[in-house]
Amino acid sequence: MSNVHELTFLKENIEQLKEDGVYRQLPVLETANKGEVILNGKSVINLSSNNYLGFTNHPRLKKASIEAIEKYGAGSGAVRTIIGNMDIHEELEELLAKFKKDERAFLYQSAFNCNIGTISAITDAKDLIISDQLNHASIIDGSRLSNAKKAIFKHSDMDSLEEILKESRGKYKNTLIITDGVFSMDGDIAKLPEIVELAEKYGAMTYVDDSHGSGVLGESGRGTIDHFGLHGRVDFSMGCLSKAIGVIGGYVSGTEAMYEWLSHRARPSLFSTSLPPAAIGAITEAINMLMESTEYTDKLWENGNYWKSKIGELGYNTGHSETPITPVIIGDEAKTMEFSKKLLENGVFASAIVFPTVPKGTGRVRCMVSAEHTKDQLDRAAKAFEKVGKEMNILK
Ligand SMILES: *Cc1c(COP(=O)(O)O)cnc(C)c1O
């Protein structure tokens, strides 16, 4: 006899999801993540991945990964403070610091871990965290894990930020302003020069989550800080190794003091096993490739611009994107879901993003173009957007 609970409360919650029309099944990918994939048994053009540079399945990364496994094994065997700190972890941190032009970089198992571990380690009850309204869930959770007071400024609204800074002046030991570098729903870039100026004016520290800027913006993907030429003016520069870099992991770069403190106090590093050799090998190869050549990021931007112009010519509204992230804004939630479903039937996977992830009435399918897409794949995808748009009377 089973002794476990019926979990009726969960079953009721699940029923509610179904009634609200937000219950979903996970799509199943049956190939590597690339430009064209098999999804739920069907061949489709993939416009829904964060694999910006096509690195997830790159032969050089795979080879480096296998070599690292051969030499160091499948797992690191412990947290870093015990014995899970291999020479390849230290070498990767040195490489990342060099890549980002900072003193040191501190590695985590994911960007999510990096945010929750870093934010909670560098702030306490005497401090204030000021966060952009549209910041990522991991920043929100990291702030929750901190005893600091929290304030939110309107998305990219510098008057709103300055108001909070003015009002809180003198009331806290430290103030930390946190922003995404690139916002993933609209593809817009943070107003970092203005944020840094305000931070300097009011004596606040700055933290940039560059998950969607890493490998995308700046020289060979060095990120939003490099894009704006703000090296040395942002305290905590957080990078992602699981999106454009194609593997898994996250890191924060900054000063030696930051590194020393995090290595003593960042809980995901102290209490969770370090990244496996396979990941370290592939990430190291990816960063080396970016330091050798801008060809990968050049191709990403070429494809992104090509897609934007094709979709724009068809007459779609792509909002105010400044990056290869291309939202195609449909508006109505149900219509957006229908649009995405019809695209899938026509061989294109572009996921629908609707309220509450984005404001009501701004439902969109979000197109994530990669350096790996061929012109032919993008042309075929555009044809499907044209066909479905006309069928649904979205296009004239
Ligand atoms: C994806 C994302 C993360 C988390 O990245 P993982 O490496 O997948 O944990 C954190 N912040 C932002 C802004 C992201 O987009």
Side-chain angles (χ1 to χ4, degrees), residues 110-112 115 136 138 180 209 211-212 240 242-243 249:
S110 73
F112 199 106
N115 279 338
H136 189 260
S138 54
D180 281 13
D209 174 343
S211 288
H212 285 276
C240 185
S242 38
K243 291 188 169 115

Side-chain angles (χ1 to χ4, degrees), residues 211-249:
S211 288
H212 285 276
S214 305
V216 175
L217 278 180
E219 186 201 1
S220 222
R222 282 172 173 77
T224 309
I225 293 163
D226 187 76
H227 170 76
F228 287 118
L230 292 169
H231 291 289
R233 292 175 70 189
V234 170
D235 299 280
F236 303 95
S237 165
M238 181 276 206
C240 185
L241 301 168
S242 38
K243 291 188 169 115
I245 307 305
V247 193
I248 189 85

Side-chain angles (χ1 to χ4, degrees), residues 48 117 137-138 193 225 266 278 286 344 377:
S48 281
S138 54
I225 293 163
L344 188 59
Q377 286 168 343

